[in-house]
Amino acid sequence: MSVSNPYQSTHEVAVDPFNSHRTYGGIGRAAYFFGGIGISIVQNVVTVALAGSGDVGSVAVIPIALVAVAGTVALACFRMINLGSSGWWGLGIIVPILNIFVGLRCLICPEGYADHKTLDLAGKIISGILIAIIALGVIAFVAVVATSPR
């Protein structure tokens, strides 16, 4: 301790308190996106393959769906860890309405988003594409409703 400043700490103060060089772990956007598509494809292929086997196939659909849900939750948990949030937020993917926000965050936000709160260029492009898809969906819905006979 210095004589001139009796309140000075004896410990070194970190230059960057948020540790900008932190590694977050988890999985990235591409792994989350393609993992979700992979789970959907495998679930559909197995369901269609079992559908031809009669009664056994209809009973096996429920366990297949539960395995797919568990895989999707695991992907969301790992992605939330990568964002710098708690992995428990990944369970939000099975809660209605909350799943929209968790899913969008998993698709759009870069690694460490919970710490720096800034989108990168890829996140901005992905969010623009999603907004365009939603807008086209709304326009298509309005067009179908407006032209349908009453």
Side-chain angles (χ1 to χ4, degrees), residues 80 83 85 101-109 113-114 117:
M80 293 305 286
L83 295 177
S85 300
F101 298 107
V102 171
L104 285 175
R105 190 170 188 151
C106 287
L107 283 174
I108 295 171
C109 298
Y113 181 78
K117 302 274 195 259

Side-chain angles (χ1 to χ4, degrees), residues 3-145:
V3 177
S4 64
N5 185 1
Y7 302 107
Q8 182 179 359
S9 173
T10 58
H11 301 289
E12 290 292 323
V13 178
V15 176
D16 184 9
F18 295 109
N19 192 3
S20 64
H21 303 290
R22 178 178 163 195
T23 56
Y24 293 93
I27 60 173
R29 280 187 285 233
Y32 174 78
F33 179 75
F34 290 116
I37 289 175
I39 288 173
S40 298
I41 290 171
V42 169
Q43 178 188 8
N44 288 329
V45 167
V46 171
T47 302
V48 168
L50 290 176
S53 61
D55 293 335
V56 175
S58 61
V59 173
V61 170
I62 293 173
I64 293 167
L66 291 176
V67 169
V69 167
T72 303
V73 169
L75 281 175
C77 288
F78 286 126
R79 180 67 181 128
M80 293 305 286
I81 290 169
N82 184 259
L83 295 177
S85 300
S86 171
W88 289 101
W89 276 106
L91 291 174
I93 207 78
I94 59 174
V95 178
I97 306 300
L98 181 60
N99 63 356
I100 296 169
F101 298 107
V102 171
L104 285 175
R105 190 170 188 151
C106 287
L107 283 174
I108 295 171
C109 298
E111 179 180 17
Y113 181 78
D115 291 337
H116 53 73
K117 302 274 195 259
T118 54
L119 282 180
D120 57 352
L121 180 62
K124 292 175 183 177
I125 291 171
I126 293 169
S127 62
I129 290 170
L130 290 175
I131 289 170
I133 289 171
I134 291 170
L136 288 174
V138 169
I139 291 169
F141 176 76
V142 170
V144 167
V145 169

